[in-house]
Each structure stands twice: as structure tokens, then as C-alpha cells.
Amino acid sequence: MPNDSLFTFILEYRGGTFLSQVRSASVEDAKMTWCNGLSFQVIHAPDSGRALFLEAVAEEPATPVSGLARVWCLAPALGDATALVHVVETAALGGDKGR
């Protein structure tokens, strides 16, 4: 997929900050790929909430952050808390000079 971009996800949840990256053609596809691969063990969230979190992420569009290019935000429910997620489109495939 030559048009895939690298998306960086910054998740704030219950006082923790968790970063990860996925490659995708769009921010909407990227958020679903990220959500499906998210380790609930790493973020200390109950795995029983995975299906509801996936549904919440699917239903909430990534909202562009005003004044910034290629930056979005969403705040889906995760159990009895809210997860704040920032998404940054960081590079096109092949543009990762440091790798």
C-alpha cells in the first residue's frame, strides 16, 4: 500500500500515557487498526470492556484539532472512564528516515 501513512496514537487513560503507531491509508482506518491491536493488559483496562470500546471508537469520528494539520482527537468511553486519544499523521510509508 504505497499511500499508507504512519499514524501515532497518544492515549491518556486513568493517569497513564500510552503511545503506539500504525500504518494506514486514512485516519479512520488507522483508529480501527489501532483499537483492534490495543493491549488492554498494558493500559490496565479490563479486557471485558474491549467490545464496547471498539464500538465506541468505531462510532466516534476522529475530530480534526483546530489550527493543526494532520492531528485529530477522540474521547471514547473505556469502562467507567473516558479515554482521550490524540492521533498524529507523522510520515508517509518510506519516509521514516530513522529506521
Side-chain angles (χ1 to χ4, degrees):
M1 293 181 212
N3 293 329
D4 280 2
S5 293
L6 182 65
F7 291 88
T8 300
F9 285 79
I10 305 158
L11 166 64
E12 299 284 338
Y13 176 67
R14 293 193 183 263
T17 303
F18 308 92
L19 291 94
S20 56
Q21 295 179 310
V22 300
R23 293 195 185 279
S24 189
S26 72
V27 67
E28 289 300 319
D29 288 344
K31 74 176 187 167
M32 298 314 299
T33 300
W34 166 78
C35 187
N36 281 315
L38 184 63
S39 169
F40 274 42
Q41 183 177 7
V42 168
I43 67 170
H44 308 290
D47 202 51
S48 60
R50 179 177 294 281
L52 289 175
F53 183 64
L54 183 61
E55 184 178 319
V57 169
E59 289 178 358
E60 184 173 343
T63 302
V65 175
S66 180
L68 298 177
R70 298 179 298 181
V71 179
W72 300 263
C73 184
L74 57 147
L78 180 50
D80 61 353
T82 299
L84 177 61
V85 183
H86 283 93
V87 186
V88 181
E89 184 177 2
T90 50
L93 185 62
D96 303 341
K97 304 257 185 232
R99 291 186 183 218

